[in-house]
């Protein structure tokens, strides 16, 4: 599987990372953990499996975590990324996990109580450039696609985008050599029908806050890793960091939706604040118009 990599920061060799959707669990690179993997409570078990496999793609291009780190998990869902970091560091970490969707936050909070030994603070709001309340669309059958930028007006476009990404993943061999030989014209309607679950939306009014306000409130004086996966609201998150707080951020990894439109702006924000920046997009991500941005302090 080919990937477009722009090494503006570290020269570390990238691992492959795929965000294909409902059929993706077998398409991605696993992260080898220091501890036994935590069996988190989840809403959809397939999502927990998929997110667990996806984690390894964050720790490339020079991104690393050391014992004693402070990590911000923005767009935490049920806490799979947080659990992977906790395991990776044998529990010697402080995690602040942000999840505004009430059903997801309830599961995240339960996981925090039962599995993280007081090391994870589950925060019940999202991040944005200013304090506000927003309507978020929650997709019970595929919670990872829940977002403030998806609604009944654009969900069909989103379904077609995710379908294209899944089909490309299968054509790259992600579900085995047999399905790889099936023509895209055959796969596309089959996958599209499976993804009709995206049409079933619930609307939740949720709170969002600027990150700088949270840093002040929580007394956070350094951020060893800022992970952002917020389904299209990446720039809003970054714009909520005041200039006085940018020096606290040592590393950041941002999954960018609307790659063609938003990649350069996300990179410019990080470059302007003194980071070395690398980007990566493989063919499956390209089909879904998403990609990864990695930022480290030189």
């Amino acid at each position: 599987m080919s990937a477009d990599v722009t090494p503006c920061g570290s020269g570390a060799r990238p691992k492959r990372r795929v965000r294909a959707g409902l059929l993706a669990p077998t398409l991605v690179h696993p992260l080898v953990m220091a501890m036994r993997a935590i069996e988190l409570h989840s809403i959809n078990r397939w999502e927990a499996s998929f997110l667990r496999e996806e984690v390894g793609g964050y720790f490339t291009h020079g991104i690393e975590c050391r014992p004693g780190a402070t990590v911000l998990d923005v767009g935490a869902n049920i806490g799979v990324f947080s659990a992977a970091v906790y395991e990776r560091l044998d529990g010697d970490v402080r995690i602040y996990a942000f999840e505004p969707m009430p059903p997801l936050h309830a599961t995240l909070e339960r996981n925090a109580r039962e599995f993280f030994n007081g090391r994870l603070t589950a925060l019940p709001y999202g991040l944005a450039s200013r304090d506000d309340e927003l309507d978020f669309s929650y997709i019970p059958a595929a919670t990872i696609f829940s977002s403030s930028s998806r609604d009944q007006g654009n969900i069909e476009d989103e379904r077609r985008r995710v379908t294209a990404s899944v089909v490309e993943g299968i054509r790259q061999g992600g579900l085995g050599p047999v399905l790889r030989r099936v023509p895209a014209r055959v796969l596309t309607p089959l996958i599209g029908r499976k993804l009709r679950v995206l049409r079933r939306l619930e609307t939740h009014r949720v709170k969002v806050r600027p990150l700088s306000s949270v840093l002040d409130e929580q007394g956070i004086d350094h951020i060893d890793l800022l992970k952002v996966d917020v389904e299209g609201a990446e720039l809003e998150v970054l714009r909520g960091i005041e200039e006085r707080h940018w020096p606290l951020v040592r590393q950041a990894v941002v999954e960018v939706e609307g790659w063609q439109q938003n990649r350069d702006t996300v990179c410019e924000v990080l470059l302007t604040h003194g980071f070395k920046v690398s980007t990566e997009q493989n063919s499956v991500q390209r089909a879904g118009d998403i990609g990864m941005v990695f930022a480290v302090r030189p």
Side-chain angles (χ1 to χ4, degrees):
M1 187 181 300
S2 62
D4 297 330
V5 179
T6 304
C8 303
S10 169
R13 183 175 179 84
K15 299 176 184 176
R16 295 170 182 173
R17 181 174 186 272
V18 175
R19 180 69 176 267
L22 294 176
L23 301 182
T26 62
L27 303 182
V28 289
H29 193 290
L31 174 66
V32 177
M33 298 298 171
M35 296 172 63
R36 185 175 62 84
I38 298 169
E39 291 293 331
L40 296 173
H41 301 292
S42 62
I43 293 174
N44 301 306
R45 182 169 291 276
W46 73 264
E47 290 184 295
S49 175
F50 166 53
L51 291 171
R52 169 66 71 173
E53 297 275 354
E54 191 180 43
V55 168
Y58 285 94
F59 293 96
T60 63
H61 298 271
I63 300 295
E64 61 180 4
C65 279
R66 298 176 180 175
T70 295
V71 175
L72 272 57
D73 184 357
V74 184
N77 199 273
I78 62 168
V80 174
F81 177 83
S82 293
V85 172
Y86 184 84
E87 294 156 6
R88 191 180 181 92
L89 300 180
D90 288 324
D92 188 6
V93 62
R94 190 75 183 91
I95 303 169
Y96 297 86
F98 299 79
E99 180 48 61
M101 298 301 301
L104 289 171
H105 180 264
T107 306
L108 173 65
E109 195 168 44
R110 181 183 179 189
N111 286 329
R113 287 195 308 268
E114 296 186 17
F115 302 119
F116 286 87
N117 197 30
R119 295 287 186 164
L120 186 148
T121 300
L123 299 168
Y125 42 79
L127 296 180
S129 60
R130 59 189 177 88
D131 287 295
D132 205 349
E133 289 188 353
L134 302 175
D135 287 332
F136 272 60
S137 290
Y138 174 67
I139 304 173
T143 68
I144 58 174
F145 297 111
S146 302
S147 171
S148 62
S149 62
R150 296 189 177 106
D151 55 34
Q152 291 292 356
N154 64 18
I155 197 63
E156 279 304 302
D157 289 339
E158 287 295 290
R159 186 170 69 93
R160 285 189 288 270
R161 180 181 68 83
V162 175
T163 297
S165 185
V166 172
V167 168
E168 176 62 19
I170 294 172
R171 295 284 291 158
Q172 292 291 336
L175 293 183
V178 175
L179 284 177
R180 183 177 187 175
R181 294 194 292 270
V182 178
R185 67 178 183 276
V186 176
L187 288 172
T188 298
L190 293 174
I191 302 304
R193 282 196 291 273
K194 185 174 180 64
L195 290 173
R196 286 175 180 170
V197 295
L198 299 182
R199 296 174 176 172
R200 296 195 284 273
L201 307 178
E202 298 174 5
T203 300
H204 293 262
R205 190 75 170 173
V206 305
K207 184 177 181 180
V208 294
R209 302 181 62 190
L211 179 53
S212 281
S213 295
V214 180
L215 298 181
D216 288 339
E217 181 180 278
Q218 297 290 331
I220 301 171
D221 59 6
H222 67 283
I223 301 167
D224 295 290
L225 178 59
L226 171 64
K227 167 262 186 184
V228 181
D229 182 359
V230 289
E231 304 301 312
E234 301 81 28
L235 283 168
E236 274 291 294
V237 172
L238 298 178
R239 288 167 177 160
I241 304 175
E242 297 175 14
E243 291 299 322
R244 63 192 175 95
H245 283 137
W246 273 107
L248 305 184
V249 183
R250 189 173 70 86
Q251 303 175 113
V253 182
V254 184
E255 180 179 280
V256 179
E257 289 206 4
W259 184 251
Q260 293 302 316
Q261 178 179 346
N262 297 320
R263 173 195 57 195
D264 290 347
T265 306
V266 170
C267 288
E268 183 61 30
V269 169
L270 295 165
L271 287 166
T272 298
H273 290 97
F275 292 92
K276 288 185 178 180
V277 177
S278 300
T279 67
E280 182 177 349
Q281 184 188 52
N282 62 37
S283 62
V284 179
Q285 293 168 325
R286 193 178 308 120
D289 196 29
I290 62 176
M292 300 297 295
V293 175
F294 303 85
V296 297
R297 293 287 180 192

